[in-house]
Amino acid sequence: MAKQMPKRSLEKVGLSVTGACVALVTLVVVALIVMVAQRGLSTFIKDGVDVLNFFTGTVWNLAVTDEATGLPFTGALPLIVTSFAVTIISTVIALPIAIGSAIYVVEIQPKFGQKYFQPLIELLVGIPSVVFGLIGFHVIVSAVRAIFNVEMGLGILPGSIVLALMILPTITTLSIDALRAVPDSYRQGSLALGYTRWQTIWHVVLKSATPSLMTAVILGMTRAFGETLAVRMVIGGVEAMPTSLIDSASTITTTLTTSMAVYATGSVQNDALWTLGLLLMGMSLFFILIIHLIGAKGAKSRG
């Protein structure tokens, strides 16, 4: 059919189809942002919930009404703190392992990395999150219970360990790509100046790959911040301010999944949950913005 159509008509068809695809994607993204923002802001505009109290309040209980305000308790600070805690701790756990693995398979044993290690990492990427949750519940939670001599073993620590396992393939794969992107001329020049291999790795390779490594870290944090199912299985689901890493807690995503189907659409409780969704989307957009800023800075430094 393409051979029978005139070239000018074929160009118009191609332009129309690709333009329609771009317009559709743009429309979907804008519609999602507008819908979530509209529903999320209803908590403050329509329902009269105090913005400061929402972000700084320490009591979240949508089933109980505050006698002073006549509104449910919507202090989201415990959920925000827990979400950032599991994200940061999981990144701290996964990052050294990921970068160490990347250095080994790129700088020490590249043949081993290409033939064996990367297929293994890709296998981890394909494992469903519920499997990580099951492993975390039966292995990590049991270990925490035995080590710390606690009754439940659920909390931020097991949630962070499970998340670290889940984001490890992402950070490792991107770190490998970042190190491989460093030109060999940098390594050769460093060795020619008398640096050892490890001095070259530390002072030249890692420094040159820093923007790309930072992107890997942010992408890993983005996935950790939005993960739900696996974390829900090991964190405990208690919507209260945690006082230690082995206290049962709840993240923004786990609260959304457990409560969204409970309350009627348009209610104060439902609007408050949409506000959590808006906060979650805002954090994801913030992480994406950081990635673009890091990429632009890295491109500028490379000239």
Side-chain angles (χ1 to χ4, degrees):
M1 178 179 177
K3 293 182 178 180
Q4 297 176 355
M5 295 179 62
K7 290 184 178 180
R8 183 173 296 178
S9 299
L10 185 60
E11 290 289 332
K12 291 181 178 179
V13 171
L15 179 62
S16 300
V17 172
T18 54
C21 293
V22 171
L24 178 61
V25 172
T26 304
L27 179 63
V28 170
V29 172
V30 172
L32 285 174
I33 294 175
V34 171
M35 183 184 70
V36 176
Q38 181 182 14
R39 297 297 301 273
L41 293 176
S42 296
T43 305
F44 312 117
I45 299 173
K46 177 173 71 73
D47 302 321
V49 175
D50 183 68
V51 177
L52 183 62
N53 182 68
F54 185 89
F55 288 102
T56 61
T58 57
V59 179
W60 178 275
N61 192 339
L62 299 181
V64 178
T65 301
D66 185 0
E67 296 181 358
T69 61
L71 298 170
F73 289 97
T74 55
L77 185 60
L79 310 180
I80 297 172
V81 170
T82 304
S83 297
F84 276 101
V86 295
T87 299
I88 293 172
I89 295 173
S90 62
T91 304
V92 170
I93 295 173
L95 182 59
I97 301 173
I99 293 187
S101 301
I103 291 174
Y104 185 83
V105 301
V106 174
E107 303 294 333
I108 310 301
Q109 289 290 343
K111 292 184 178 179
F112 167 79
Q114 291 182 352
K115 191 173 182 180
Y116 299 106
F117 187 77
Q118 282 199 277
L120 179 64
I121 289 295
E122 292 169 359
L123 178 64
L124 284 177
V125 173
I127 297 177
S129 59
V130 66
V131 176
F132 284 103
L134 287 172
I135 295 173
F137 184 79
H138 289 286
V139 178
I140 298 175
V141 170
S142 298
V144 170
R145 189 186 303 123
I147 294 172
F148 295 97
N149 193 26
V150 292
E151 182 178 356
M152 297 294 293
L154 303 171
I156 294 176
L157 180 60
S160 300
I161 296 174
V162 170
L163 273 182
L165 294 175
M166 296 183 67
I167 67 176
L168 181 62
T170 300
I171 299 179
T172 302
T173 301
L174 294 175
S175 298
I176 290 173
D177 293 340
L179 297 187
R180 282 181 178 161
V182 177
D184 285 335
S185 58
Y186 289 14
R187 299 176 177 87
Q188 294 168 1
S190 176
L191 294 172
L193 291 173
Y195 276 33
T196 66
R197 180 170 63 177
W198 287 105
Q199 287 176 324
T200 298
I201 292 172
W202 182 259
H203 294 287
V204 178
V205 177
L206 289 179
K207 185 175 180 180
S208 300
T210 296
S212 298
L213 292 175
M214 290 297 297
T215 299
V217 172
I218 299 300
L219 283 173
M221 292 179 67
T222 303
R223 184 184 178 188
F225 199 82
E227 180 57 41
T228 304
L229 183 57
V231 177
R232 179 182 174 186
M233 297 173 69
V234 298
I235 201 168
V238 176
E239 295 162 345
M241 183 68 75
T243 57
S244 72
L245 296 180
I246 53 176
D247 281 347
S248 294
S250 182
T251 63
I252 293 174
T253 54
T254 55
T255 296
L256 283 172
T257 55
T258 55
S259 303
M260 184 57 77
V262 176
Y263 301 102
T265 301
S267 63
V268 179
Q269 293 88 343
N270 187 265
D271 290 341
L273 294 172
W274 276 100
T275 305
L276 291 181
L278 178 60
L279 176 61
L280 192 64
M281 185 180 68
M283 288 307 305
S284 298
L285 294 176
F286 177 71
F287 285 141
I288 293 172
L289 176 63
I290 292 177
I291 291 173
H292 283 289
L293 292 176
I294 292 173
K297 184 177 180 181
K300 185 177 180 181
S301 64
R302 290 191 296 267

